[in-house]
Amino acid sequence: MTEEKDFWINKDEVGILNGVEGTEYKVTQETMNQKGWYKLAGDEQIVKKVELTGEEAEWFEKNKNLPFFKNDSTEYFAKKALDYSVTWEGKEHWCNLFSQAYFNGYTIKKEKKYYIELNFNYYNGSYLNVNQFGVWVWEEKCGIFDGTKRQFTQDEIDEMQKDPRAKGLDLNELKTEVPEDELEG
């Protein structure tokens, strides 16, 4: 396990981390990690892990054990990364993205989730909750059933909009983004 320590970073890096200006700042490792920067084990090098979608991460996991480059074969990582894109313009993007993941690691991009909120309840707001039986209930965020779903992806909202129970409601107008600290697994 590596020792937790503070890092001195320059003005350009500070702007990336938190939008402030100055010449040099001391930043904790935890702050660096929250912004996607990680210390490589055993040395002082700090790298930015790329964010991959679930589909990209699945492709990466399938191909990560290939050698990065191999002269006498077509079975190597860089070739597979180039082949991932169907357009010539996209080849450079995918090759760069997957190469960074190959050498620096990656994190999986969290899909945005939303609450569906009716704004006319004068107490704490009334939120759409869907229980394990598919019953729609408008109540506070806490929910009354185990297995109640109250955070929805955009795809789920689009599908729910087709439901007859949504007649007269524009769920996209009622959605509010879930803050990162409230995201459910």
Side-chain angles (χ1 to χ4, degrees):
M1 180 162 178
T2 59
E3 171 189 340
E4 290 286 318
K5 62 184 274 185
D6 294 335
F7 297 94
W8 288 98
I9 59 175
N10 67 33
K11 178 180 177 179
D12 296 333
E13 293 166 328
V14 168
I16 290 170
L17 286 172
N18 57 15
V20 298
E21 294 197 18
T23 55
E24 207 170 68
Y25 291 88
K26 193 175 186 179
V27 178
T28 65
Q29 184 170 340
E30 179 183 354
T31 300
M32 299 285 284
N33 293 354
Q34 288 172 349
K35 298 295 181 174
W37 293 87
Y38 296 88
K39 179 178 179 248
L40 295 179
D43 68 14
E44 297 298 315
Q45 186 176 3
I46 298 175
V47 297
K48 174 100 173 156
K49 290 186 178 183
V50 295
E51 279 190 329
L52 301 178
T53 64
E55 179 184 318
E56 293 163 353
E58 189 176 311
W59 179 92
F60 181 82
E61 288 299 316
K62 188 172 106 182
N63 293 286
K64 72 178 183 180
N65 292 325
L66 292 172
F68 186 76
F69 181 79
K70 193 172 183 183
N71 245 352
D72 59 349
S73 172
T74 58
E75 285 296 308
Y76 58 92
F77 186 84
K79 169 92 170 83
K80 296 271 189 185
L82 282 170
D83 292 344
Y84 185 82
S85 176
V86 293
T87 65
W88 183 252
E89 296 81 27
K91 289 190 183 295
E92 182 178 352
H93 166 76
W94 294 116
C95 195
N96 285 337
L97 184 75
F98 290 133
S99 294
Q100 287 178 43
Y102 190 89
F103 291 109
N104 298 335
Y106 70 92
T107 58
I108 295 182
K109 193 179 297 185
K110 293 179 183 168
E111 188 172 11
K112 286 185 180 180
K113 291 194 176 182
Y114 304 92
Y115 293 119
I116 307 295
E117 180 180 12
L118 287 177
N119 297 322
F120 54 79
N121 184 333
Y122 58 90
Y123 291 109
N124 294 323
S126 189
Y127 296 86
L128 175 61
N129 292 260
V130 179
N131 70 18
Q132 68 266 32
F133 306 110
V135 175
W136 289 22
V137 180
W138 295 93
E139 62 184 1
E140 292 183 31
K141 287 182 198 173
C142 62
I144 57 173
F145 301 108
D146 286 336
T148 298
K149 184 173 182 72
R150 61 195 57 82
Q151 298 178 1
F152 307 96
T153 64
Q154 184 60 53
D155 289 341
E156 291 169 330
I157 292 170
D158 293 342
E159 195 59 37
M160 289 166 35
Q161 188 64 60
K162 299 173 190 172
D163 192 296
R165 293 173 285 187
K167 186 174 182 174
L169 294 173
D170 184 349
L171 298 179
N172 283 302
E173 286 294 319
L174 299 173
K175 73 181 182 184
T176 56
E177 191 170 337
V178 176
E180 193 170 319
D181 61 336
E182 291 181 26
L183 279 172
E184 297 171 354

